[in-house]
Amino acid sequence: MPFVTVQIGKGHSIEKKRKLVQAVTDALVSALGTKPEWITVHIDEFERDNWAVGGVLHSDKHTGRHEETGR
Amino acid sequence: MPFVTVQIGKGHSIEKKRKLVQAVTDALVSALGTKPEWITVHIDEFERDNWAVGGVLHSDKHTGRHEETGR
Amino acid sequence: MPFVTVQIGKGHSIEKKRKLVQAVTDALVSALGTKPEWITVHIDEFERDNWAVGGVLHSDKHTGRHEETGR
Amino acid sequence: MPFVTVQIGKGHSIEKKRKLVQAVTDALVSALGTKPEWITVHIDEFERDNWAVGGVLHSDKHTGRHEETGR
Amino acid sequence: MPFVTVQIGKGHSIEKKRKLVQAVTDALVSALGTKPEWITVHIDEFERDNWAVGGVLHSDKHTGRHEETGR
Amino acid sequence: MPFVTVQIGKGHSIEKKRKLVQAVTDALVSALGTKPEWITVHIDEFERDNWAVGGVLHSDKHTGRHEETGR
């Protein structure tokens, strides 16, 4: 504990994942004073056609603009 | 999107929660290049006697040392 | 199965919860052809100061306008 | 907010997913009065051999009857 | 890791919770050969009026028969 | 209800999954007195590079020692 789940779109590089888990771990260390080795981060990736806002699937809104938008 | 869930023990002050959500949001902005307004952070607090490691409840291990440990 | 989790702000009346679980169950029956008795709906309520968008806690943005906005 | 997660078996067509997210979004609009653009729906698909009721895996109970049953 | 979440109705005694986390931990040790100290169990309790099957809230179905049924 | 989610690394055999869901179901029957047919178990598998402890991805720590460690 603490246990962090980050839900993001599929397709981020391993490099970005390394940065993400390190940055999120540092965030909890700085905000809560938690020891890094107590912090678990789980990246939960989803497919573009499994996520919707306002009743419309992401895949129907977005075509191939993923990397720059960082979603 | 992205959507972040942070599971931590109950009892953190509102001040610490403000720091936590800001730090986690900044972490995703720096690591993924996501716009802050796209990032949702949910703090999921749990009771000491609802969490166990190695088959032993937290409440049976820890008595009142919460704030300093940041768990 | 299917299993639906609806995360909403705390404070909705029992009447609204009855309408919510019935409407969500009907939605899955109409969209997937699932039998109602196979559908489980879990309402996961959160506190205003445990939810943030853009790094700012809900409780710091919203003061007592909950019921009309339906969040 | 609100944030809805729908856990269903893998294999539903994109057409059914479109109907599902629209129907679930409409359900929350009608029951809670929420604006559609505030509602996020996440379809969390699982494999047949990762789900069990009564200690028996789905894949051991069900062989290829998925589409009609809507699970 | 592994990380186990057990969603059950509110109201189980601390004694039952101790038995539950020990039994679930033992189950993973026997089935997967995992070391106990690697296993985290989180008990996620829910209110009777936040859970529905077939579109009907638990609280509307069940009145005070919780302990014997073990739900 | 109850509903159990077990998050483990990808790669466990179907045989191990059968043992896991049976053992977890038995654990809840013995600890809570719940009827087996009321218990749902969901195995949520994750990729090695989607899980981190102490800011370091599992895939960067572990190379192909998965089966014996049971993680």
Side-chain angles (χ1 to χ4, degrees):
Chain A
M1 240 187 354
F3 189 83
V4 184
T5 302
V6 182
Q7 290 179 290
I8 51 176
K10 221 160 212 173
H12 287 279
S13 64
I14 185 89
E15 242 338 288
K16 280 212 172 169
K17 290 183 183 179
R18 286 190 183 109
K19 272 191 206 157
L20 176 62
V21 296
Q22 187 61 67
V24 168
T25 301
D26 294 345
L28 268 74
V29 171
S30 71
L32 301 181
T34 314
K35 291 181 181 172
E37 62 272 25
W38 288 345
I39 300 167
T40 302
V41 179
H42 175 211
I43 300 173
D44 185 10
E45 296 176 288
F46 57 82
E47 300 288 350
R48 304 254 133 246
D49 56 12
N50 278 343
W51 193 277
V53 173
V56 180
L57 292 176
H58 242 267
S59 48
D60 287 344
K61 280 186 196 168
H62 299 267
T63 50
R65 291 182 309 110
H66 174 65
E67 268 299 336
E68 323 82 331
T69 62
R71 289 218 194 195
Chain B
M1 241 186 356
F3 189 83
V4 184
T5 303
V6 183
Q7 290 180 290
I8 51 176
K10 223 164 211 167
H12 287 279
S13 63
I14 184 94
E15 240 341 285
K16 278 209 171 169
K17 289 182 182 180
R18 286 189 183 108
K19 269 191 207 157
L20 177 61
V21 295
Q22 187 62 66
V24 168
T25 301
D26 294 346
L28 267 75
V29 172
S30 72
L32 301 180
T34 314
K35 293 181 182 172
E37 61 272 25
W38 287 347
I39 300 168
T40 302
V41 179
H42 175 211
I43 300 173
D44 186 10
E45 296 177 289
F46 56 82
E47 300 289 349
R48 306 253 132 250
D49 57 10
N50 277 344
W51 193 278
V53 174
V56 179
L57 290 176
H58 242 268
S59 48
D60 287 345
K61 281 186 192 169
H62 299 268
T63 51
R65 290 182 311 110
H66 176 64
E67 269 300 332
E68 327 80 331
T69 63
R71 289 220 194 194
Chain C
M1 242 184 0
F3 189 84
V4 183
T5 303
V6 182
Q7 290 179 291
I8 51 175
K10 224 166 210 166
H12 287 280
S13 65
I14 185 91
E15 243 337 290
K16 278 211 173 168
K17 289 182 182 179
R18 286 189 182 109
K19 270 192 209 155
L20 177 62
V21 295
Q22 187 62 68
V24 168
T25 300
D26 294 345
L28 268 75
V29 172
S30 72
L32 301 180
T34 313
K35 291 182 182 172
E37 61 272 25
W38 287 346
I39 300 167
T40 301
V41 178
H42 175 210
I43 300 173
D44 185 11
E45 296 177 288
F46 57 82
E47 301 288 348
R48 304 251 135 252
D49 57 12
N50 276 344
W51 193 278
V53 173
V56 179
L57 291 177
H58 242 269
S59 47
D60 288 344
K61 280 187 195 166
H62 298 266
T63 49
R65 289 182 312 106
H66 175 65
E67 267 301 333
E68 326 80 332
T69 62
R71 290 221 190 192
Chain D
M1 243 186 351
F3 189 83
V4 184
T5 302
V6 182
Q7 290 180 289
I8 51 175
K10 222 162 213 172
H12 287 279
S13 64
I14 185 91
E15 240 341 287
K16 279 211 172 169
K17 289 182 182 180
R18 286 190 183 110
K19 271 191 207 156
L20 177 62
V21 295
Q22 187 62 65
V24 168
T25 301
D26 294 345
L28 267 74
V29 172
S30 72
L32 302 180
T34 314
K35 292 180 182 172
E37 61 272 25
W38 287 347
I39 300 167
T40 302
V41 179
H42 175 211
I43 301 173
D44 185 9
E45 296 177 288
F46 57 83
E47 301 288 349
R48 305 253 131 248
D49 56 11
N50 278 344
W51 193 277
V53 174
V56 179
L57 290 176
H58 242 269
S59 48
D60 288 344
K61 280 185 194 170
H62 298 268
T63 51
R65 290 181 310 109
H66 174 63
E67 267 300 333
E68 325 80 334
T69 63
R71 289 221 195 192
Chain E
M1 241 188 356
F3 189 82
V4 184
T5 303
V6 182
Q7 291 179 289
I8 52 175
K10 225 168 209 164
H12 287 280
S13 65
I14 183 94
E15 241 338 288
K16 279 211 173 169
K17 289 182 182 178
R18 286 190 182 109
K19 270 193 206 153
L20 177 61
V21 297
Q22 187 61 67
V24 167
T25 301
D26 294 345
L28 268 75
V29 172
S30 72
L32 301 180
T34 314
K35 293 182 182 171
E37 61 273 23
W38 285 347
I39 300 167
T40 302
V41 179
H42 175 212
I43 300 173
D44 185 11
E45 297 177 288
F46 55 82
E47 301 288 350
R48 307 250 133 249
D49 57 11
N50 277 343
W51 194 278
V53 174
V56 180
L57 290 177
H58 242 270
S59 48
D60 287 345
K61 281 186 194 169
H62 298 267
T63 49
R65 289 183 313 108
H66 175 63
E67 267 300 332
E68 326 81 322
T69 63
R71 290 221 194 192
Chain F
M1 238 189 356
F3 189 83
V4 183
T5 303
V6 182
Q7 291 180 289
I8 52 175
K10 224 164 211 168
H12 287 279
S13 64
I14 184 93
E15 241 338 287
K16 280 212 172 169
K17 291 182 182 178
R18 287 191 182 108
K19 271 191 204 157
L20 177 61
V21 296
Q22 188 61 66
V24 168
T25 301
D26 294 345
L28 268 73
V29 171
S30 72
L32 301 180
T34 315
K35 293 181 181 172
E37 62 272 24
W38 286 347
I39 300 167
T40 302
V41 179
H42 175 211
I43 299 173
D44 185 8
E45 296 177 289
F46 56 82
E47 301 288 350
R48 304 254 132 247
D49 56 12
N50 277 344
W51 194 278
V53 173
V56 179
L57 291 176
H58 244 267
S59 47
D60 288 344
K61 281 185 193 170
H62 299 268
T63 49
R65 289 182 311 109
H66 175 63
E67 267 300 334
E68 323 80 331
T69 62
R71 287 221 195 194

